[in-house]
Structure formats: C-alpha cells, structure tokens
Amino acid sequence: MASGNMKDIKRRIKSVQSTMQITKAMELVASSKLRRAKERVQNSRPYFNAMYDTITRISAQSRENTVYGRHAAVKNSLFIVIAGDRGLAGGFNANVLKLACAQMEGKNVKVLTVGRKSQEFFGKRGYHSVGDYPGLAETLRISETHEIVDQFLDMYRKQEIDEIFLCYTEFVSPLTQEARCIQLLPSDFKKAENEKRAAATEYDPSPEAVFESIIPEYLYGVLYGAIVESFASEQSARRMAMESASDNASEMIEDLNLSYNRARQAAITQEITEIVAGSGQVGS
C-alpha cells in the first residue's frame, strides 16, 4: 500500500518538475521580450507628448467646428480594444476586456480589436466588429497603424460612428500595469490653459485647417503608443505570472518530497516490523 502511494507521489513530482521547466522557460522569454518592449515604450512617449502639446496649442486657437468635432447626436460608438495574443499573463487580458465592457454599457457599439484575445472575446459575444488585427503588437511599426487609423477616421467623417474610444493597458512599471479607456474623437483638448502660449503662433491657412491635417498624425502616434504600452504590459504580467507559478511549483515539489520521505519511512518501518514478527514466530 505504501509502495503504491510512493509511486503516485514520485509521478506527481516528475509532473510538477516538467511544468516548472515550462514556466521557467516562459518567464525567461517574457523577460527578454520585456526589455525590448520597454525600449519601444520609452522611445514612443516623447513623440506622443510632442504631438499632444502641438495639437493642444493649435486647438486653443481653433474657433470653428472642424470635421473632427462633435456630431449632432451620438448613435454609434466605436471601441478599439487592445489585448494580448496569448494567455498565461495573469489578469492582463481580463482587466482590459472587463473595463471595455463596462465602458460599452448602454451604448450602440462597434468594435475594432487588436490582439487575438480581444478578437476571440468579442467574436464569441456577437459584437459588430469592423476590423480584427491579431499578431500585430510584437513587430509593429508606426506606418502599420495608418491602415487602422484611416479606416476608423473614414467611418467618423461619414458619420457611421459618432465617437471613438481606445481601451489599452498602460505600462506603469514592471510590477504595475493599468487598464485605461480614453476618448479619441471627438477631440476634447484643454484649451483654456494653453490660450496664452498659443496666441503668439499664427497658422496658415487657418488653425482649423492645420488642426484637421495633423489629427491623423496624432492618432497614428496614439495608437502606436497604446499598442506598444499594451505589449510591454503583457510581457511584464506574463513574467510575473510565470515567476509566481515557478515559485508555487517549487513549494509543491518540496511538500511532495516530504510526503515521499514520510511514505518511504513508513514502508521501511512496516518491513522491519514484519521481519521482527516473522523471526519471532520462527524462533517459537
């Protein structure tokens, strides 16, 4: 009986060791990808900040409605939802998808998905998808965002959609990732605090024309930044999840080894007892 129990424990130890080898390998891969992803995030942020500052100053002088202004009534909303292409990343995918669903509540929604997990999630729930872009994040270049941005800008100008939201995960630090949902259009920049700084600049032919021409460039940068932030967040979340899984597997192996040694000791004790009992019967 003890021998059978020992075999089961030994089998479980081998199984957990195999799993730990996989989680260790995934942790190392995620760490390697995270280093490159952090560099992309750090390189994209100055571009976004410069674009945001520029477009805010132009917006401060814009007095007329532009093509990117508010529509008369909001009937259809587009949500661009960025998630990962793979699982095993803790709560990374679940957090951004949950936030997106909360923001969609009560709206007539269309979705544009980036990442396989986002595509699968909304596809299974019957949402109207206007585009799916899986497997894009790891090797993304800013030029590859043009197709996506041009697509939803064309829909916005034709009033097929009346507002656009972007849901993604911000990379705060290797230990912290925060799901966010921001409104892209209609544009809503802080005009009042930039009035004085913008007053010294003249735009030709007009602030409105410059504003309309620069909005697509701004959105290319925003979308690129959101995707690289989400990819860095995914790798960070996966690294932490795999590190935690490896630690748990190590603890489980220690407990199983302890159980194995106890079972082995019990088997030895039982054998000694049987030998002693047998020798007593022979002697009598």
Side-chain angles (χ1 to χ4, degrees):
M1 204 55 190
S3 176
N5 190 34
M6 287 168 62
K7 287 180 180 178
D8 290 339
I9 294 173
K10 213 166 186 178
R11 197 178 298 116
R12 286 194 65 192
I13 290 173
K14 287 183 179 179
S15 175
V16 175
Q17 285 175 337
S18 298
T19 302
M20 188 169 71
Q21 287 178 347
I22 295 171
T23 57
K24 279 284 187 184
M26 292 183 69
E27 179 187 344
L28 292 173
V29 171
S31 296
S32 176
K33 289 184 176 181
L34 177 60
R35 284 194 293 271
R36 296 194 297 270
K38 281 173 65 178
E39 291 178 4
R40 293 170 69 199
V41 169
Q42 291 166 356
N43 292 335
S44 70
R45 282 177 176 170
Y47 173 78
F48 168 76
N49 292 335
M51 285 296 296
Y52 184 85
D53 185 60
T54 300
I55 205 166
T56 302
R57 285 188 281 113
I58 297 172
S59 177
Q61 288 195 20
S62 179
R63 297 302 182 207
E64 301 172 9
N65 291 329
T66 71
V67 69
Y68 300 114
R70 295 185 180 278
H71 291 170
V74 177
K75 297 178 182 177
N76 298 305
S77 303
L78 175 68
F79 278 78
I80 304 164
V81 185
I82 303 171
D85 288 302
R86 299 177 182 85
L88 299 177
F92 166 75
N93 289 309
N95 290 340
V96 71
L97 295 173
K98 182 179 178 181
L99 175 64
C101 287
Q103 296 292 324
M104 291 175 181
E105 197 168 334
K107 297 178 182 289
N108 188 20
V109 171
K110 298 177 182 179
V111 296
L112 189 154
T113 64
V114 178
R116 189 166 285 107
K117 290 299 178 181
S118 180
Q119 179 185 11
E120 292 173 355
F121 179 86
F122 292 106
K124 290 178 181 178
R125 286 158 180 78
Y127 282 84
H128 179 191
S129 174
V130 300
D132 300 303
Y133 296 90
L136 188 70
E138 186 170 358
T139 59
L140 180 71
R141 293 178 297 178
I142 194 166
S143 59
E144 295 174 42
T145 65
H146 292 194
E147 177 187 345
I148 305 173
V149 172
D150 292 344
Q151 178 187 356
F152 66 71
L153 280 183
D154 184 57
M155 295 175 67
Y156 188 83
R157 286 191 291 263
K158 292 178 180 177
Q159 299 193 10
E160 294 174 9
I161 51 176
D162 304 298
E163 58 181 3
I164 302 171
F165 295 88
L166 174 65
C167 299
Y168 70 103
T169 305
E170 181 181 8
F171 179 79
V172 180
S173 73
L175 299 178
T176 308
Q177 304 86 41
E178 183 180 345
R180 295 190 62 196
C181 194
I182 60 174
Q183 183 170 328
L184 296 181
L185 290 175
S187 56
D188 186 19
F189 299 98
K190 298 177 182 178
K191 295 184 179 183
E193 62 190 49
N194 293 280
E195 287 280 358
K196 291 182 180 178
R197 185 170 55 175
T201 306
E202 292 185 4
Y203 298 96
D204 186 33
S206 68
E208 292 75 26
V210 176
F211 181 79
E212 287 186 10
S213 66
I214 204 172
I215 273 283
E217 296 294 333
Y218 166 73
L219 293 177
Y220 298 150
V222 171
L223 183 59
Y224 175 81
I227 293 174
V228 299
E229 292 256 0
S230 291
F231 183 73
S233 298
E234 179 186 1
Q235 301 310 315
S236 181
R238 182 171 291 112
R239 186 191 64 78
M240 289 193 297
M242 293 301 100
E243 182 181 13
S244 178
S246 298
D247 291 343
N248 291 339
S250 181
E251 291 178 10
M252 189 179 294
I253 289 171
E254 288 181 11
D255 293 340
L256 288 171
N257 279 327
L258 184 60
S259 298
Y260 177 81
N261 291 334
R262 285 174 178 170
R264 183 167 173 271
Q265 186 63 46
I268 293 171
T269 302
Q270 184 178 352
E271 287 179 9
I272 292 172
T273 302
E274 289 173 354
I275 292 170
V276 171
S279 63
Q281 289 177 0
V282 171
S284 62

